[in-house]
Amino acid sequence: MPRPRQKSKIQSPPRAKAFMPVGYYKQQSDAIQLKIEEFEVFRLLDYEGLTQVEAAKIMQISRSGVARIYEKARFKLAKALTEAKKINIEGGENMFDNNWFECERCDSKFNSTDESKIGACPLCSSQNIHQINE
Amino acid sequence: MIIAIPIEKEQFDSTISTTFARSNYFAIVDKSNGKVQITENLFKDIQKGAGIKLFHWLIEKQNIDALLAFEMGYKMQQMATEASLQIIIINEHSKTLNQLLEYMNINPKTAFSS
């Protein structure tokens, strides 16, 4: 049995939960599951422009681990774009840097500064919040 | 609670800047007394290390304890986490400062007169 994957650290949860192709599709083809750590590697390397060594340090995994995840992320994105598939961003072996919460009233995300529970959204003071975990 | 908000223009109907450290202006909002102060970002044209300088300025001069952003760099986020600041990430940058103040129950007219 292979050893379980090392958990990678995620700085902030992805903004969107899924992406959908636009066009003539009567029948929705099955979706691509993009893991959160694959999204994070893609973001760090291509959006922030970091090197693999720097990204590995942030995510607390090995450099070669970053390269492996990046390879998978690129293949999945290319496949989704070519075959016009929906991309779901969820799951994977990861943990968040902070405790992240989402407010359902103003749709903002925020972290908790200490371990204690947060009762209300710091922006709109709404109590309709939920923790983002996964 | 004092929140730093990056904005495009020196106005209350300005939209939120898509970058944090290189935004044109900052609105420093004091949630406890409803006062808002708009200052120019002195570090936006620095080639390197604008985020670090801005961060120290915000902490030492403005005493902020929360950052609001649409997107921020990984260094800024790391520094904010280490200094145990609260990070608020909004979903759309098309929101204006007025709308955010409305969420916080702050009247822009009374806030600006300070």
Side-chain angles (χ1 to χ4, degrees), chain A residues 66-124:
Chain A
V66 168
R68 268 196 297 275
I69 296 173
Y70 184 52
E71 194 89 334
K72 275 186 192 159
R74 269 185 21 213
F75 174 69
K76 281 186 184 176
L77 284 170
K79 189 173 177 174
L81 291 181
T82 317
E83 300 177 4
K85 286 185 169 173
K86 184 185 173 192
I87 307 171
N88 285 332
I89 305 175
E90 59 188 7
E93 288 299 314
N94 52 59
M95 54 187 177
F96 287 124
D97 209 359
N98 282 301
N99 281 328
W100 284 93
F101 296 85
E102 190 172 18
C103 173
E104 285 172 23
R105 182 165 167 247
C106 62
D107 290 325
S108 61
K109 295 184 173 73
F110 51 92
N111 64 354
S112 67
T113 45
D114 48 15
E115 294 305 306
S116 63
K117 278 256 172 195
I118 289 190
C121 170
L123 189 60
C124 65

Side-chain angles (χ1 to χ4, degrees), chain A residues 44-68:
Chain A
L44 288 176
L45 294 186
D46 287 341
Y47 182 83
E48 300 265 8
L50 302 183
T51 64
Q52 291 185 351
V53 179
E54 288 167 325
K57 217 172 171 184
I58 291 172
M59 296 181 73
Q60 296 180 359
I61 48 175
S62 67
R63 208 277 310 153
S64 49
V66 168
R68 268 196 297 275

Side-chain angles (χ1 to χ4, degrees), chain B residues 8-9 15-16 28 43 50 73 83-84 110 112-113:
Chain B
E8 298 274 4
K9 288 174 283 179
T15 52
I16 306 306
I28 313 288
F43 309 99
S84 61
T110 57
F112 200 44
S113 63

